[in-house]
Amino acid sequence: MAVAGLTSPSPAYSHRTTTRLRSSSQLSLSSTHLSCRLRRSFRPRNSSITCSVNQVAPVSVQKPEPKDKSECFGVFCQTYDLWAEEETRSWKKLINIAVSGAAGMISNHLLFKLASGEVFGPDQPIALKLLGSERSIQALEGVAMELEDSLYPLLREVSIGINPYEVFEDAEWALLIGAKPRGPGLERADLLDINGQIFSEQGKALNAVASRNVKVIVVGNPCNTNALICLKNAPNIPAKNFHALTRLDENRAKCQLALKAGVFYDKVSNMTIWGNHSTTQVPDFLNARINGLPVKEVIKDHKWLEEEFTEKVQKRGGVLIQKWGRSSAASTAVSIVDAIKSLITPTPEGDWFSSGVYSNGNQYGIAEGLVFSMPCRSKGDGDYELVKDVIFDDYLLKKITKTEAELLAEKRCVAHLTGEGIAFCDLPEDTMLPGEM
């Protein structure tokens, strides 16, 4: 997945715009010596003044002084009473959501899903904190304007900036999408270093200013190793709170199994993506189910499963680029929504979902100290646990070993960014990530 909106790792630059929705009105009396009583409905136009003398004081409605453009713009610069104020009292506490690469194509789909209430619910107000770069700041203002024009009642605040130490302040969710895409002549080791520096700085910023229980989903590639770098630079945040996005791979695998079996997507469950978000990833058809039955009992063509199915999932992103001329954006945004929902909604009984998580303490024999995609379940509290009831065969173990080796090599390549010594790059092969070119 190529992603736009490379973020500046340096906190030296600071440009911030904030849009706020406030619930107040300002009325002033032109004659201050009168003792008056204000009767007000929720709409300011119905305000009236009753005085203790037989003279009605002239009333003027004063607009608030215009705020500096660096603070807000448009309708959010006004202060006024919300007609829905009574209703808002039943709404939940505001959630702060930080998004990097917020001027890119993925975010262009994602932000409106977040603002609409589709993700966190129809009674959950949110604040969006959008991180871009110096060259994308005007585009970021355009994104904020579109959000403003969409009239989402749940979207109570939008702030934009290029300094992660400002944008990530008090963030309870951090969706890290911005990263440099791979271009011609750029070796994968170089990409790991360039993007690793971005995520190192963002990890430090999260550690310094975000909520202590912030949930972090890393989308920018190479997302597994970027997530590892990020968590290693945020020691005050639980390592378990960091995720690398492999949900799009899971969704792609479900699609291919559904097509082959002649069923709809919702009949496919227990789908796991093991390992790295690269062409070594392992779509697990051994544990997956269709209509509650093991996939291998429904799809008898086991050769197709081991060869064509696996390769289709691994290379789906590259094929999409060939057809579409650009990397996946809308489907990536959908998969981010799915990943969040999987953490804030109880996992259906007997099912699970895939996420790249910290491998320490896993029961599968996978090397520790990696961000490795594995099967997870959640109680809907933002946390997760690894699934215990999975089975392995020689084919699956061999594939998992290969993707594990690749992640170990990537880890050695970024040792200087994780505090684990001098970097040494010995990547086994150039398994190009979908969308890197």
Side-chain angles (χ1 to χ4, degrees), residues 177-378:
I177 301 172
K180 181 179 177 65
R182 181 172 175 175
L186 186 64
E187 296 294 331
R188 190 164 182 212
D190 296 328
L191 185 71
L192 282 163
D193 181 64
I194 293 169
N195 281 334
Q197 292 182 49
I198 295 171
F199 285 89
S200 171
E201 187 63 26
Q202 290 183 0
K204 292 173 184 175
L206 288 168
N207 195 64
V209 300
S211 163
R212 295 302 81 186
N213 198 35
V214 61
K215 303 296 187 290
V216 184
I217 298 179
V218 176
V219 182
N221 281 320
C223 63
N224 292 64
T225 298
N226 286 340
L228 179 66
I229 293 167
C230 198
L231 76 86
K232 287 292 186 179
N233 283 277
N236 295 332
I237 298 170
K240 196 177 183 184
N241 288 17
F242 290 80
H243 298 256
L245 185 74
T246 56
R247 187 55 172 266
L248 179 57
D249 304 308
E250 176 187 327
N251 290 352
R252 288 167 170 168
K254 286 181 173 178
C255 174
Q256 295 305 312
L257 290 176
L259 287 169
K260 184 68 172 179
V263 300
F264 204 63
Y265 315 131
D266 61 355
K267 303 302 181 185
V268 183
S269 64
N270 304 84
M271 186 69 230
T272 306
I273 299 295
W274 295 94
N276 200 5
H277 174 64
S278 75
T279 56
T280 67
Q281 66 176 262
V282 187
D284 178 2
F285 56 82
L286 180 65
N287 288 283
R289 292 180 171 269
I290 298 175
N291 279 320
L293 297 173
V295 164
K296 292 180 78 172
E297 291 183 15
V298 178
I299 299 175
K300 304 294 186 181
D301 188 349
H302 296 174
K303 185 179 183 201
W304 178 86
L305 288 169
E306 292 184 0
E307 297 177 5
E308 188 174 343
F309 163 70
T310 298
E311 185 174 340
K312 272 189 174 183
V313 177
Q314 291 173 336
K315 297 183 178 180
R316 180 77 163 184
V319 173
L320 189 144
I321 291 171
Q322 292 174 358
K323 301 283 187 182
W324 189 228
R326 59 191 183 198
S327 61
S328 56
S331 59
T332 302
V334 169
S335 70
I336 297 170
V337 169
D338 290 341
I340 296 171
K341 285 183 174 180
S342 289
L343 293 170
I344 63 174
T345 307
T347 307
E349 184 68 28
D351 201 0
W352 59 69
F353 60 92
S354 302
S355 187
V357 295
Y358 200 43
S359 62
N360 282 20
N362 78 87
Q363 62 267 38
Y364 311 122
I366 293 162
E368 297 200 339
L370 301 174
V371 171
F372 200 94
S373 185
M374 295 181 278
C376 304
R377 287 193 181 110
S378 177

Side-chain angles (χ1 to χ4, degrees), residues 5-10 12-15 103 131-141 161-163:
L6 175 63
T7 59
S8 169
S10 172
Y13 301 100
S14 177
H15 178 111
L131 181 66
S133 64
E134 272 194 290
R135 64 183 177 85
S136 72
I137 194 67
Q138 284 193 334
L140 211 52
E141 289 182 358
I162 64 173
N163 183 348

Side-chain angles (χ1 to χ4, degrees), residues 87 90-92 115-125 153-154:
E87 180 181 352
S90 67
W91 287 354
K92 301 173 184 175
S116 70
E118 177 183 338
V119 184
F120 290 96
D123 62 346
Q124 178 59 69
L154 292 168

Side-chain angles (χ1 to χ4, degrees), residues 28 65 77 90 150 170 178 184 224 271 296 317 373 393-394:
S28 69
E65 295 182 4
C77 285
S90 67
S150 297
D170 298 324
N224 292 64
M271 186 69 230
K296 292 180 78 172
S373 185
D393 61 9
D394 290 342

